[in-house]
Amino acid sequence: MEKSVEERISKSLIWLCVLAFFSVLNETVFNVSLPDIAAQFGIEPSVANYINTSFILSFAVGTAVYGKISDIYGIKKLFFISVLIYGGGSLIGLLFHFWFPALLAARFIQGAGASAVPGLIMVIVTRSIEKQHQGKAFGMIGSTVALGEGFGPVLGGWIADYIHWSYLFFLPMMTLVTLPFFLRTLPDEPVKKGGLDVPGCLLFVLGIASFTLFTTHYEWWYLIISVILFIGFVLRIRGAKEPFLEPALFKRKRFIVGVLVGGILLGTVAGFMSMIPYMMREVHQMSTSLIGGSVLFPGTIGVIFFGIVGGSLVDRRGARFVMIAGLLLLGAGLLIVSLFADSTPWIISGALVLIFGGLSFVKTVISTIVAGSLSADESGSGMGFLNFSCFLAEGLGIAIVGGLLTQLRLNFPILPMVTDVAAYLYSNLTLLLLAAVIIGGAIFLIAFREGKASLDK
């Protein structure tokens, strides 16, 4: 019987990858279309950016909530509901694209549905696939996620230029075709006794929302409210009978280090990737379509190879080996960009292949070691918290890089081989991001300095 269930889960992996691709694609696909939306409605760019902010808010909240309630209500039912919500939000956006408030509502609903996908996929792998094969599964899914993130601006720019930006809402509706396959392949799970810690959930959700608003608007009172809510959340989970997040998770080194290092590294790369379009346009005078199709796309294609290889290496050589390889790829790519920021764009494109490859390795390792630190009953809330932490870190990385680009505090010569004045800022900022990668890698290696055995068992 167990073998039959595992075979059914394995057959559904391809559909999990399809779903993961379209869920993360929707995070970035609207980026290049925001100027077109602002022009159509006659609004300021800051207002148009709410198209992405509304999605990010509900997505960040949902990643934490879905993982927890999967422990109670089961994965199959939640997958069915979340895909319907995702498709419904997309349909609203497609039909009412001429009314800006409807666009905001549609993006918020999309985020509420799409946020279930990353967390529930990790829960499926954690619960249903043997530990010796989890690295390969996480590698496949991680490759798909990274490909979706990188392919979003390319596809979004093409559709906006040659058709119309409103048709971007049609893409997520393709996820509805996965429903029959999940209903047939995913096993039924009994509803467990117990309930959702509603006060704890509300404190956590509102804390996330306030913190996300702070990273978007830089209003300090958002941060103060967020801190107060998180203090209340900590007090709540320490006293609740069935807390929203088990306090025991924060006593495990593997879990804490995995979440911390994952946040540092993924946030750093996300910030770097948000810088690339500005650098290529200002330093190399490249168009948006050329940046997406020629500079970013080769790296996103390489992600497929690196993700599969990384997953297999985790299973064969161990997580420590793959993490070191990923750190070396990330470091080499960032160093090349910093040294040759004003050289030919194709050097930058080659460096991005290394960076995307290192990102695939890192994601696979982080998912594997965190999953290995969780029991079956903790997999939902634990993996949900990992997804939330990494997603929030990516948002913070983008916000921090955007602030540094605006303030111009790093706009001075450091490296003698960078001679173009326009490239100073980008070269120096990349050096700063390289330092963040070194710090994240050092935390990981120090925490697991005992060697491979202590990390993988």
Side-chain angles (χ1 to χ4, degrees), residues 189-425:
E189 294 179 302
V191 177
K192 298 180 181 179
K193 292 183 179 181
L196 180 64
D197 176 17
V198 177
C201 178
L202 286 176
L203 287 168
F204 189 62
V205 165
L206 293 176
I208 293 171
S210 298
F211 191 72
T212 306
L213 286 170
F214 168 72
T215 62
T216 305
H217 299 286
Y218 295 102
E219 296 286 346
W220 285 101
W221 64 275
Y222 283 127
L223 180 61
I224 294 171
I225 292 175
S226 177
V227 170
I228 294 172
L229 290 169
F230 279 126
I231 291 173
F233 172 72
V234 171
L235 295 175
R236 171 66 188 181
I237 64 174
R238 293 182 65 181
K241 184 178 179 181
E242 295 181 0
F244 180 70
L245 191 64
E246 291 292 340
L249 291 175
F250 298 98
K251 298 178 181 179
R252 300 180 187 175
K253 184 174 73 172
R254 286 169 60 104
F255 180 81
I256 291 299
V257 172
V259 170
L260 177 61
V261 173
I264 292 173
L265 296 180
L266 270 62
T268 298
V269 175
F272 171 78
M273 296 309 301
S274 72
M275 182 196 79
I276 288 297
Y278 295 100
M279 184 180 78
M280 302 311 294
R281 181 173 296 177
E282 185 173 347
V283 179
H284 300 285
Q285 293 76 50
M286 297 182 71
S287 66
T288 301
S289 59
L290 194 59
I291 293 170
S294 300
V295 178
L296 295 176
F297 191 64
T300 63
I301 291 299
V303 159
I304 300 176
F305 168 77
F306 281 107
I308 295 174
V309 170
S312 299
L313 285 175
V314 168
D315 294 333
R316 296 199 329 257
R317 298 292 302 273
R320 184 182 175 88
F321 175 87
V322 178
M323 175 59 85
I324 292 174
L327 292 171
L328 290 174
L329 287 171
L330 283 176
L334 291 173
L335 183 60
I336 290 172
V337 172
S338 184
L339 292 173
F340 302 101
D342 56 352
S343 299
T344 172
W346 315 124
I347 293 180
I348 308 300
S349 182
L352 289 178
V353 173
L354 299 179
I355 292 170
F356 273 113
L359 179 63
S360 293
F361 280 16
V362 166
K363 282 186 173 182
T364 300
V365 172
I366 295 300
S367 299
T368 303
I369 65 171
V370 171
S373 71
L374 302 171
S375 65
D377 292 337
E378 298 168 334
S379 57
S381 57
M383 298 306 284
F385 186 78
L386 171 66
N387 274 290
F388 157 70
S389 300
C390 291
F391 183 80
L392 185 59
E394 290 177 356
L396 280 174
I398 294 171
I400 291 171
V401 168
L404 290 172
L405 289 176
T406 302
Q407 296 172 10
L408 304 178
R409 293 180 179 178
L410 297 175
N411 194 19
F412 54 88
I414 293 181
L415 299 176
M417 61 282 297
V418 179
T419 58
D420 189 338
V421 175
Y424 290 161
L425 174 61

